[in-house]
């Protein structure tokens, strides 16, 4: 039985040879690790390293292992690591249904079958009948739910959250936060949350590490 | 599993396609200028071509014309740009002017020049408007206004056409200069609007638009089509004379044509050097002016004067186009009547059928050149994104090189080389020669929107399992549809407007609306010129209309897609 979960094995990100961030962590399935730190300390850089989109100005040392597979050098699209940003980043030229279908793996074949999966996903987030809507017409909460569902449809094996609740107003924030953590737990995903809001960290309920410049 | 898509080769290929012809062409022009042209019996280096050139009696005036029209047109366009921005930037009146200027940029040079010629000619609209009540003229006066020996009409035409370009380039550069904050400080210190702007903001803007200004200078000194239409004839500016020698059936004239082209290049380099020196002097003087602390608070009258100049420049092109349109449907139109006595579609009926061949050729050449340029530019920008390359100032210089090296200096060489290598000088070669000039504009137009696209969309797409290629085709390009089409329309307009590459590389066998229109200039038949110039402008406008309409129709239910 290979080790499950997301392992960041003595990860070190360097900028022009100088170490910027170091992190050694293990996130078990269904568990949330919260990384906190001042803005500008390189939280987003850390996430870029894990998604495989680190700009060439940075170098990465150490290993990233997901469910027993070393993905340190894998191209981003084959890592199966989902990410949610502060902005929902729904593709503005696609309908709501189109956005969800973009996330749905190509292995789901046939127009009707794909359409059915998209509709089921929309029903699941209380948005049945929204498939043909323009994402720009959705409320903040609806956008957040579509963004999460799009990510989940792509069957990720881990989830990264880049301050995904920072833009939402207080009411909505706790609601969406609960929604995201519930879903991730139900799917048994290891979750890495990056935030500067300690309420996020409390709600996540897992371990908290403070990110500092070494 | 990193599949090499060949994308990393895009920048090198682009540079080769863009700069290859320029450099090879310069060598190909230099060789005959030094007497080397084996096919014509030139097998050893000799000073004869330059001697012949010097013996041409028109050389002095031709050189003088190139320098004066070029420098004056550049000075005036830049000066008007500066004072217009100083006096009006940020006001409602300026936004109106800006909206009027942008479409003018797309009017082909030849059409704009014809329009202005119709406006200012002794029998043109201005003379008609003033006759006979103010001038007493019952017949068009015998004055040489268009094609005047000093090149004044040509200079004015160039200013009217270059002003929109420089204003829009300056506007694009403005945000980096943070004019709002500087003006707040300047006005708090008691400076008048214009003085404050010129002292506090303009130096930073100028630093940004230096390359476009140099391009305007090089272009204005060496332009051929505008010079044929508005410039003097005997002698013409040097560039026009070189084209005459190049097109002469007497092939031995090619030697002195090449020598003339090289002299033209030297003149442009000298003028650029002079301009650079001038920059230093103006900077020193301006520095002193700024330090003296004059507030210049009474600039009200001057502000309105500058708006008048700006509006006149817009009006010159718009009225010129209106005049072209009217002439194309005019039956009898006697002097000094302001409007035609009778209207008729006879000109269109007679010349319409002959129009379709050059119009289709223009369309195919422009479409092909634009498509090639667009593909290369997108490939370059995408490889920049994927491999994290940074564009340096040096590469921006390379981008401007085809706009700085005069066409007349390297296109004859390209033609010579093509002939020597037994290459084809037909449509394919013309398309490739257009790519050289279309590429920089497409790059300049698409670069900023492409780079400022939120690349987190790419991260999300990759996290959803999309390959880089799918992200490009299914996310990035659709989201950037409007700027992509705008860049395409700009490239299309540049290609449609090309005169010299079509003439020289096409070996006279490729006829576009532009070459046909310019060829009609000497005939002076206003009706047929109106038809051709209007068709030329219409084709360009269609491109821009499509660039605006397609994203609106396609994304009509997608409010989140930004319009370009």
């Amino acid at each position: 039985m290979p080790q499950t979960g997301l392992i960041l094995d003595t990860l070190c990100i360097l900028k022009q040879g100088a170490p910027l961030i170091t992190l050694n962590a293990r996130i078990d399935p269904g568990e949330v690790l919260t990384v906190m730190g001042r803005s500008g300390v390189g939280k987003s850089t850390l996430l870029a390293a894990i998604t495989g989109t680190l700009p060439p100005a940075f170098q990465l040392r150490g290993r990233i292992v997901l469910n027993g597979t070393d993905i340190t050098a894998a191209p981003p699209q084959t890592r199966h690591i989902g990410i949610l940003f502060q902005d929902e980043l729904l593709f503005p030229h696609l309908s709501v249904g189109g956005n969800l279908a973009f996330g749905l793996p190509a292995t789901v074949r046939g127009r009707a079958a794909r359409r059915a999966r998209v509709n089921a996903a929309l029903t699941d987030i209380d948005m049945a009948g929204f498939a043909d809507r323009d994402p720009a017409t959705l409320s903040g909460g609806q956008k957040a739910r579509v963004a999460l569902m799009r990510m989940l449809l792509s069957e990720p094996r881990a989830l990264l959250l880049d301050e995904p609740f920072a833009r939402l107003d207080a009411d909505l924030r706790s609601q969406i936060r609960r929604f995201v953590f519930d879903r991730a737990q139900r799917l048994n995903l290891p979750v890495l949350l990056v935030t500067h809001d300690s309420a996020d960290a409390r709600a996540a309920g897992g371990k908290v590490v403070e990110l500092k410049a070494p | 599993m990193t599949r090499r898509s060949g994308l990393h080769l895009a920048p090198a290929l682009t540079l080769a396609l863009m700069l290859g012809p320029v450099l090879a062409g310069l060598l190909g022009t230099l060789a005959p200028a030094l007497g080397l042209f084996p096919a014509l019996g030139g097998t050893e280096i000799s000073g004869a071509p330059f001697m012949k050139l010097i013996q041409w009696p028109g050389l002095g005036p031709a050189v003088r014309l190139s320098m004066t029209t070029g420098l004056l047109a550049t000075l005036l366009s830049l000066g008007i740009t500066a004072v217009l921005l100083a006096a009006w930037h940020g006001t409602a009146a300026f936004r109106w002017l800006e909206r009027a200027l942008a479409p003018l940029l797309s009017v082909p040079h030849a059409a704009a020049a014809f329009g202005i010629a119709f406006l200012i000619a002794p029998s043109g609209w201005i003379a008609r408007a003033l006759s006979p009540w103010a001038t007493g003229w019952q017949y068009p006066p015998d004055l040489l206004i268009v094609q005047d020996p000093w090149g004044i009409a040509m200079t004015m035409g160039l200013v009217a056409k270059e002003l929109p370009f420089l204003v829009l380039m300056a506007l694009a550069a403005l945000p980096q200069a943070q004019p709002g904050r500087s003006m707040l400080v300047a006005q708090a210190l008691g400076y008048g609007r214009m003085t404050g702007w010129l002292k506090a903001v303009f130096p930073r803007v100028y630093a940004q638009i230096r390359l476009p200004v140099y391009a305007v200078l090089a272009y204005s000194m060496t332009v051929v089509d505008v010079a044929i239409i508005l410039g003097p004839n005997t002698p013409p500016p040097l560039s026009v004379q070189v084209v005459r020698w190049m097109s002469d059936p007497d092939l031995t004239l090619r030697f002195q044509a090449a020598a003339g082209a090289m002299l033209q290049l030297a003149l442009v380099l000298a003028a650029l050097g002079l301009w650079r020196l001038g920059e230093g002097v103006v900077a020193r003087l301006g520095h002193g002016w700024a330090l003296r602390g004059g507030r210049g608070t009474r600039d009200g009258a001057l502000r309105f004067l500058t708006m008048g100049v700006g509006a006149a420049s817009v009006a010159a092109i718009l009225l010129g186009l209106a005049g072209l349109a009217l002439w194309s449907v005019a039956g009898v139109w006697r002097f000094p009547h302001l409007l035609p006595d009778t209207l008729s579609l006879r000109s269109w009926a007679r010349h319409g059928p002959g129009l379709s061949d050059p119009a289709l050729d223009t369309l195919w050449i422009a479409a092909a050149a634009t498509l090639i340029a667009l593909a290369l530019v997108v490939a370059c920008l995408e490889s920049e994104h994927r491999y994290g390359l940074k564009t340096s100032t040096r590469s921006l210089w390379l981008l401007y090189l085809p706009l700085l090296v005069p066409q007349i200096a390297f296109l004859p060489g390209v033609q010579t080389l093509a002939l020597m290598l037994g290459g084809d000088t037909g449509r394919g070669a013309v398309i490739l020669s257009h790519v050289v000039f279309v590429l920089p504009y497409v790059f300049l137009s698409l670069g900023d929107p492409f780079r400022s696209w939120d690349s987190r969309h790419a991260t999300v797409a990759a996290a959803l399992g999309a390959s880089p290629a799918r992200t490009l085709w299914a996310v990035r390009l659709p989201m950037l549809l409007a700027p992509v089409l705008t860049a395409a329309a700009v490239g299309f307009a540049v290609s449609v407007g090309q005169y010299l590459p079509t003439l020289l590389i096409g070996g006279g066998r490729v006829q576009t609306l532009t070459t046909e229109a310019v060829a009609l200039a000497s005939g002076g038949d206003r009706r047929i010129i109106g038809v051709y110039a209007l068709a030329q402008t219409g084709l360009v406008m269609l491109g821009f209309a499509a660039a605006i309409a397609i994203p609106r129709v396609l994304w009509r239910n997608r409010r989140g897609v930004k319009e370009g």
Side-chain angles (χ1 to χ4, degrees):
Chain A
M1 172 90 193
Q3 264 189 324
T4 52
L6 179 63
I7 297 168
L8 308 175
D9 180 10
T10 55
L11 217 56
C12 179
I13 301 171
L14 305 97
K15 189 175 189 183
Q16 284 147 6
L20 193 69
I21 304 164
T22 53
L23 186 65
N24 199 15
R26 171 176 176 171
I27 314 167
D28 286 326
E31 194 185 85
V32 181
L33 173 71
T34 303
V35 172
M36 300 198 61
R38 293 175 293 103
S39 55
V41 77
K43 289 174 295 196
S44 296
T45 311
L46 172 66
L47 295 186
I50 303 174
T51 55
T53 51
L54 200 61
F58 299 91
Q59 299 90 47
L60 179 65
R61 286 206 199 123
R63 293 192 317 148
I64 304 166
V65 182
L66 179 60
N67 295 346
T69 312
D70 186 336
I71 57 165
T72 319
Q77 68 269 25
T78 62
R79 294 188 176 203
H80 295 280
I81 288 190
I83 185 166
L84 290 179
F85 288 99
Q86 189 177 98
D87 304 293
E88 297 83 8
L89 299 173
L90 297 178
F91 301 135
H93 61 293
L94 298 177
S95 64
V96 171
N99 267 279
L100 293 178
F102 193 99
L104 201 60
T107 47
V108 181
R109 285 180 188 279
R111 233 186 149 86
R114 291 182 71 82
R115 184 94 196 166
R117 279 290 297 274
V118 166
N119 286 335
L122 280 170
T123 311
D124 190 16
I125 53 173
D126 294 328
M127 288 178 66
F130 274 68
D132 293 326
R133 284 275 291 270
D134 178 0
T137 63
L138 302 184
S139 72
Q142 289 170 331
K143 282 182 194 167
R145 279 181 281 159
V146 173
L148 175 69
M149 191 41 84
R150 176 176 68 172
M151 207 39 90
L152 296 183
L153 280 178
S154 74
E155 299 169 2
R157 294 171 194 163
L159 190 59
L160 311 182
L161 304 173
D162 190 354
E163 309 208 17
F165 318 116
R167 278 270 183 102
L168 302 167
D169 52 40
D171 251 15
L172 205 53
R173 191 179 309 170
S174 55
Q175 188 193 327
I176 296 292
R177 195 153 52 195
R178 208 170 328 116
F179 179 71
V180 171
F181 290 142
D182 279 357
R183 293 293 170 138
Q185 198 143 42
R186 222 189 287 171
L187 292 167
N188 224 12
L189 296 176
V191 175
L192 180 76
L193 167 69
V194 154
T195 186
H196 64 260
D197 180 356
S198 50
D200 282 352
R202 277 196 303 279
K207 280 182 287 185
V208 177
V209 290
E210 188 80 19
L211 204 59
K212 286 189 288 269
Chain B
M1 104 142 249
T2 38
R3 213 154 33 94
R4 300 231 100 173
S5 54
L7 200 66
H8 58 289
L9 298 175
L13 180 64
T14 306
L15 277 184
L17 270 177
M18 202 169 66
L19 301 185
V22 178
L23 300 177
L26 283 177
L27 289 175
T29 314
L30 183 64
L34 297 175
L36 294 173
F37 198 154
L40 297 179
T43 47
E44 49 194 279
I45 291 186
S46 97
F50 279 102
M51 286 310 293
K52 284 257 179 57
L53 178 68
I54 291 167
Q55 282 158 9
W56 176 51
L59 188 66
V63 166
R64 198 199 63 228
L65 267 172
S66 169
M67 288 301 255
T68 52
T69 52
L71 284 168
L72 203 60
T74 313
L75 262 179
L76 283 172
S77 344
L78 179 64
I80 298 172
T81 300
V83 293
L84 256 181
L85 284 166
W88 296 98
H89 179 247
T91 64
F94 191 83
R95 276 188 290 280
W96 176 86
L97 188 74
E98 191 186 331
R99 271 202 293 274
L101 284 174
L104 292 191
L105 199 58
S106 61
V107 176
H109 276 88
F114 275 125
I116 289 172
F118 286 6
L119 213 54
I120 62 176
S123 60
W125 248 350
I126 294 177
R128 285 166 188 267
L130 299 175
S131 301
W133 58 275
T135 59
W137 294 334
Q138 291 297 341
Y139 299 97
D142 190 15
L143 294 172
L144 195 61
I145 299 177
V146 176
Q147 305 189 325
D148 64 288
W150 304 280
I152 295 172
M154 178 181 163
T155 306
M156 292 303 139
L158 285 169
V159 171
K161 199 61 191 67
E162 298 309 323
L163 183 64
F165 176 64
L166 285 183
V167 169
L168 292 177
M169 290 313 264
L171 279 175
L174 257 176
Q176 287 197 45
Q178 301 186 318
R181 296 202 292 185
S182 299
M183 279 311 287
L184 215 60
V185 173
Q187 284 176 329
L189 293 171
Y191 280 90
R193 207 198 133 82
M194 288 182 75
T195 310
W197 203 91
L198 288 173
K199 286 181 176 178
V201 182
F202 183 66
R204 271 170 291 161
V205 174
Y206 182 75
Q208 299 261 339
I209 60 166
R210 187 179 263 152
L211 280 172
V213 169
Y214 293 172
V216 166
L217 178 58
Y219 176 84
S220 304
M221 286 181 70
T222 61
V223 63
V224 173
D225 49 358
V226 176
I228 289 177
I229 297 164
L230 289 174
N233 262 326
T234 45
L238 185 57
S239 56
V240 177
Q241 186 61 42
V242 171
V243 174
R244 283 190 194 167
W245 284 330
M246 283 296 294
S247 325
D248 201 288
D250 178 1
L251 293 178
T252 56
L253 287 177
R254 304 227 160 182
F255 288 104
Q256 72 201 64
M262 281 294 122
L263 176 62
Q264 183 74 75
L265 177 66
L267 288 177
V268 168
L269 292 177
L272 285 171
L274 202 64
W275 190 271
R276 236 4 287 198
L277 287 178
E279 279 175 6
V281 173
V282 171
R284 184 118 22 106
L285 293 175
H287 194 64
W289 182 53
L291 294 193
R292 273 198 300 280
R295 258 45 171 182
T297 46
R298 271 182 249 159
D299 55 9
L302 201 57
R303 286 185 69 195
F304 282 96
L305 185 70
T306 59
M307 184 47 95
V309 173
S313 150
V314 171
I317 294 184
L318 289 183
L319 284 176
L321 289 179
L324 287 174
L326 214 49
W327 269 112
S328 77
V329 293
V332 183
W333 191 356
R334 272 173 311 203
F335 191 86
H337 296 175
L338 206 51
L339 292 173
D341 306 296
T342 58
L343 292 179
S344 120
L345 286 174
R346 222 181 49 215
S347 304
W348 285 95
R350 190 188 297 168
H351 302 294
L355 205 62
S356 65
D357 274 351
L360 279 178
D361 261 4
T362 313
L363 183 71
W364 291 132
I365 291 170
T370 305
L371 218 57
I372 294 171
L374 198 59
L376 287 167
V377 168
V378 168
C380 279
L381 289 167
E382 178 70 9
S383 76
E384 194 181 294
H385 162 74
R386 282 191 209 172
Y387 310 120
L389 310 168
K390 282 273 185 310
T391 21
S392 57
T393 327
R394 207 183 46 192
S395 52
L396 200 61
W397 269 96
L398 291 177
L399 206 52
Y400 267 95
L401 207 64
L403 310 181
L404 290 174
V405 176
Q407 291 192 342
I408 192 67
F410 72 92
L411 286 174
V414 174
Q415 192 207 46
T416 309
L417 287 178
L419 288 175
M420 273 194 326
L421 299 173
D424 165 48
T425 54
R427 225 166 280 162
V430 170
I431 289 170
L432 284 180
S433 73
H434 281 207
V435 168
V436 174
F437 307 102
V438 171
L439 250 171
Y441 285 103
V442 172
F443 210 114
L444 292 172
S445 170
L446 189 56
D448 282 344
F450 203 93
R451 290 183 185 123
S452 61
W453 179 72
D454 187 345
S455 65
R456 290 178 308 167
H457 281 113
T459 304
V460 168
L464 293 170
S467 66
R470 182 166 173 227
T471 304
L472 175 67
W473 289 103
V475 181
R476 191 170 204 166
L477 289 178
M479 281 179 71
L480 293 173
L481 182 67
V484 165
L485 289 180
T486 303
V490 169
F492 188 82
V494 169
S495 171
V496 169
Q498 290 302 322
Y499 172 70
L500 207 52
T502 319
L503 183 78
L504 290 183
I505 309 301
R509 285 179 289 118
V510 177
Q511 274 138 12
T512 62
L513 291 174
T514 303
T515 57
E516 292 293 274
V518 176
L520 292 168
S522 54
D525 180 341
R526 299 185 163 186
R527 289 173 181 81
I528 172 168
I529 288 176
V531 167
Y532 272 86
L534 217 58
Q536 190 199 21
T537 310
L539 199 58
V540 168
M541 291 292 172
L542 272 182
F544 278 94
I548 293 170
I550 292 173
R552 289 213 177 151
V553 172
L554 227 49
W555 305 142
R556 66 188 174 285
N557 292 325
R558 298 284 178 264
R559 278 196 286 134
V561 186
K562 283 192 214 85
E563 275 164 23

